[in-house]
């Protein structure tokens, strides 16, 4: 599958998941789509359809009574204004990805 860079959007995904087993599963899913920038914070460049799929998969693996997952859509202007202090971990996608 080829991705055009212009179809991708940057998302910041954070979570607070009580059960270790569920937390590990969600982290593994997010690692397939981005990079961990903090223990429970991921940056990811995805298409809207990929995001919908990731949300569906995560929804099936958390307990909505105790867990929280938040997804922030980072506009291009916001992405350029990220301030990092200390070790920088970021996710950068090339213009075209061949899978």
């Amino acid at each position: 599958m080829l991705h055009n860079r212009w179809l991708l959007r940057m998302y910041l995904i954070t979570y607070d998941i009580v059960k270790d087993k569920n937390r590990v599963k969600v982290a593994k899913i997010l690692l397939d789509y981005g990079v961990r920038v903090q223990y429970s914070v991921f940056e990811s460049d995805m298409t809207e359809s990929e995001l919908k799929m990731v949300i569906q998969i995560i929804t099936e693996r958390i307990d909505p009574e105790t867990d929280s997952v938040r997804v922030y859509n980072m506009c291009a202007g916001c992405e350029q204004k990220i301030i990092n202090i200390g070790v920088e971990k970021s996710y950068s996608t090339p213009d075209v990805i061949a899978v």
Side-chain angles (χ1 to χ4, degrees):
M1 171 190 279
L2 293 177
H3 279 306
N4 183 329
R5 172 69 179 131
W6 304 112
L7 297 176
L8 299 175
R9 298 193 74 133
M10 181 182 189
Y11 297 94
L12 184 70
I13 304 170
T14 68
Y15 60 78
D16 185 6
I17 299 173
V18 175
K19 292 183 181 176
D20 291 340
K21 182 178 177 181
N22 293 351
R23 188 170 47 250
V24 168
K25 287 180 182 180
V26 168
K28 286 181 180 181
I29 293 163
L30 294 175
L31 284 170
D32 287 340
Y33 290 90
V35 66
R36 177 180 264 155
V37 293
Q38 302 250 330
Y39 184 73
S40 61
V41 181
F42 289 77
E43 288 180 359
S44 178
D45 286 342
M46 292 185 271
T47 64
E48 286 185 42
S49 62
E50 287 173 325
L51 177 64
K52 288 177 185 177
M53 181 179 61
V54 168
I55 289 172
Q56 179 181 354
I57 294 168
I58 289 173
T59 300
E60 295 168 357
R61 284 163 176 77
I62 67 165
D63 180 346
E65 298 294 320
T66 61
D67 301 334
S68 172
V69 178
R70 298 178 66 108
V71 179
Y72 299 90
N73 183 347
M74 302 294 289
C75 69
C78 297
E79 186 178 344
Q80 299 304 314
K81 295 178 183 177
I82 295 172
I83 297 169
N84 186 75
I85 300 169
V87 176
E88 184 172 359
K89 298 177 183 177
S90 64
Y91 186 72
S92 171
T93 304
D95 289 341
V96 176
I97 302 173
V99 179

